[in-house]
Amino acid sequence: MKILVINSGSSSIKFQLLDMNDESILATGLVERIGEPQGVLKCVFTPGADDEKEVEEKRIVTDHRAGMHMIVECLGSDSDVISDYTDIAAVGHRVVHGGEDFQQPTIITDEMMEVVKKNIPLAPLHNPANIDGIRVAQELFPTASQVAVFDTAFHQTIPAYAYHYALPYNLYEQQHIRRYGFHGTSHKFVASECARLIGKPLNKINLITIHLGNGCSMAAIKNGESVDTTLGMTPLEGLVMGTRSGDVDPAIHAFLVRNCNMSIGDIDNLLNKESGLKGLCGLNDMRDIHAAIEAGDKRAELALEVQTYRNRKYIGAFMAVLGRVDGIVFTAGIGENDPIVRQKSLEGLGCFGIELDPVVNNQRVKEPVRLSAEKSKVQIWGIPTNEELAIAREVKSVLE
Ligand code: ADP
């Protein structure tokens, strides 16, 4: 069964074609700079195999429709990968915000698309791009099943006392203001991998999963279900991210309006694009931050301290949420590749039975690795996330 996974962002479309009989990747790539003067498609066919082949094509990509056409043309250019488009059994679409309406991956119908549209105010930048991607895929692959996999779905098990903000209740009832959480596909994927590796059934395991990439979030998972997470109504709350602030005092908004002559739009931009690691030291890539620290940059050092302190603080909070914790999992760009961030995020937690093995920790994680010391009561794992595979698995399970 061949499944095409599509992840449409505001100016890019990532794609991956998988053969779900053996979960192998037939092609993976992206179209980026959609709507800019020069767009580009990059694709790797059968990555890692002897006959791996890379394709790059630059041209103007006016919109998502044009981008999807480029992807289809590119996939069709290798007859070993797909002989004809009816070869693709299903297209899985990452959809950022499912609101309270979707707890599971869902087969796309006209009715459910109306519900996705209704949720646009909750994710004004992302959901419209996702909807475009779905519409074009329906035209280009009329025989394939189309399935939506929501970033928010895994967190729909969070109890009311954890997802409510202490705001007037009518804002929840009328505007649906509450914590939803994101990165759900990734948290769910590494949680089930970790349960398998620890050797416990997923529905009996308690985990803290820590996704540290450009966006960062943590999930408290009890008996295999999400019971709390750090991202909120939007992907801005919680941990310190590349350019996003994470938690701030909400009164800072009013202060900026009154004292710095800023509009709501300016503040939105400030908190999402100019804050986080970048706001603190001018750099948002953790590799650059380490290089700057080596060169004696004190602000870069501060940025690392602020991020890892916030991680530690939330680990403590989620230990309190869960009581018993079987494992802590690090994943995504920083979580998989950065021993220093992992070590600093867990510093001083020995009293909770959390002890890294400093030698094993000192590596980039390319496949699941147990990073905890023998005596650690809580197992610590580095597990690469694979959102495309996770989406393809979800799609397969819906179709079956
Ligand atoms: P996204 O959230 O965009 O999917 P990723 O999970 O790919 O992001 O993470 C990207 C981030 O991972 C980069 O911005 C960088 O900070 C970090 N990163 C990637 N490689 C390394 C590395 N070798 N060491 C430290 N950080 C890394």
Side-chain angles (χ1 to χ4, degrees):
M1 177 193 273
K2 289 178 187 170
I3 293 181
L4 177 64
V5 174
I6 297 288
N7 181 355
S8 297
S10 51
S11 66
S12 70
I13 308 172
K14 292 188 194 151
F15 64 95
Q16 196 166 102
L17 180 66
L18 296 106
D19 182 345
M20 289 308 284
N21 295 328
D22 58 2
E23 298 194 336
S24 61
I25 300 172
L26 300 172
T28 183
L30 84 168
V31 178
E32 52 187 347
R33 307 210 191 107
I34 296 174
E36 290 182 31
Q38 176 78 284
V40 59
L41 171 139
K42 292 179 193 156
C43 178
V44 183
F45 288 100
T46 55
D50 293 342
D51 58 347
E52 177 180 311
K53 188 175 77 181
E54 249 184 89
V55 176
E56 185 172 324
E57 198 191 326
K58 289 189 176 150
R59 67 161 107 134
I60 301 171
V61 190
T62 40
D63 52 20
H64 284 73
R65 178 173 299 273
M68 284 291 289
H69 274 282
M70 259 178 113
I71 294 169
V72 169
E73 261 172 48
C74 174
L75 293 175
S77 70
D78 188 323
S79 57
D80 288 343
V81 166
I82 39 173
S83 48
D84 122 31
Y85 297 118
T86 54
D87 237 16
I88 295 177
V91 185
H93 298 268
R94 174 185 179 219
V95 179
V96 168
H97 218 306
E100 291 187 316
D101 301 292
F102 299 101
Q103 277 101 50
Q104 299 292 339
T106 306
I107 294 186
I108 292 167
T109 61
D110 288 344
E111 295 77 55
M112 73 76 74
M113 284 296 279
E114 288 307 312
V115 183
V116 175
K117 273 192 209 155
K118 185 197 79 181
N119 287 325
I120 287 178
L122 293 171
L125 297 178
H126 292 97
N127 274 20
N130 300 152
I131 290 169
D132 277 356
I134 291 170
R135 287 288 178 232
V136 183
Q138 284 176 321
E139 287 168 29
L140 295 177
F141 304 101
T143 57
S145 307
Q146 309 276 339
V147 178
V149 179
F150 299 91
D151 253 29
T152 47
F154 180 57
H155 300 300
Q156 279 296 301
T157 44
I158 293 176
Y161 56 77
Y163 73 63
H164 270 288
Y165 295 116
L167 292 169
Y169 197 81
N170 66 349
L171 288 176
Y172 167 66
E173 288 179 308
Q174 288 158 22
Q175 303 294 332
H176 313 287
I177 294 178
R178 51 159 282 184
R179 168 174 295 109
Y180 291 95
F182 299 86
H183 295 146
T185 316
S186 175
H187 287 291
K188 184 175 175 185
F189 178 80
V190 296
S192 67
E193 288 289 290
C194 189
R196 184 176 60 77
L197 292 158
I198 288 182
K200 265 193 156 186
L202 184 60
N203 64 4
K204 296 213 163 51
I205 204 161
N206 289 359
L207 299 169
I208 296 175
T209 51
I210 310 174
H211 177 114
L212 302 175
N214 264 319
C216 299
S217 70
M218 203 177 285
I221 296 175
K222 189 167 197 162
N223 298 326
E225 293 187 336
S226 176
V227 292
D228 205 350
T229 192
T230 54
L231 289 172
M233 170 161 151
T234 77
L236 185 57
E237 199 179 344
L239 305 180
V240 176
M241 305 176 229
T243 64
R244 292 179 242 157
S245 62
D247 293 342
V248 293
D249 181 341
I252 291 174
H253 292 67
F255 181 93
L256 291 171
V257 170
R258 289 196 199 103
N259 296 289
C260 304
N261 201 22
M262 288 178 81
S263 68
I264 291 299
D266 295 338
I267 296 170
D268 205 34
N269 192 56
L270 177 93
L271 295 172
N272 279 292
K273 303 216 168 106
E274 301 297 334
S275 297
L277 298 170
K278 183 181 175 193
L280 286 163
C281 73
L283 302 167
N284 65 296
D285 190 303
M286 199 42 96
R287 289 164 289 197
D288 298 338
I289 291 178
H290 288 304
I293 293 171
E294 294 250 309
D297 184 331
K298 291 288 169 210
R299 291 260 201 97
E301 206 175 315
L302 176 69
L304 176 69
E305 293 295 336
V306 174
Q307 190 192 52
T308 52
Y309 170 73
R310 182 85 50 90
N311 292 345
R312 210 154 67 231
K313 188 161 135 175
Y314 267 111
I315 290 169
F318 283 180
M319 295 284 295
V321 165
L322 292 171
R324 188 200 83 232
V325 177
D326 300 297
I328 294 177
V329 184
F330 286 92
T331 194
I334 299 174
E336 291 161 26
N337 292 305
D338 198 322
I340 297 173
V341 168
R342 290 193 297 254
Q343 182 260 323
K344 290 183 84 64
S345 302
L346 299 175
E347 218 159 54
L349 299 182
C351 55
F352 298 111
I354 300 171
E355 305 236 20
L356 268 177
D357 180 324
V359 178
V360 184
N361 181 50
N362 195 19
Q363 63 172 305
R364 293 173 65 187
V365 164
K366 300 278 170 222
E367 54 190 40
V369 180
R370 185 175 162 177
L371 303 167
S372 42
E374 270 309 312
K375 64 176 175 186
S376 183
K377 285 203 196 99
V378 177
Q379 292 195 21
I380 304 161
W381 285 84
I383 301 181
T385 191
N386 187 337
E387 288 179 87
E388 287 76 20
L389 175 59
I391 291 173
R393 281 186 187 167
E394 301 264 15
V395 171
K396 191 175 173 209
S397 75
V398 171
L399 297 181
E400 283 170 355

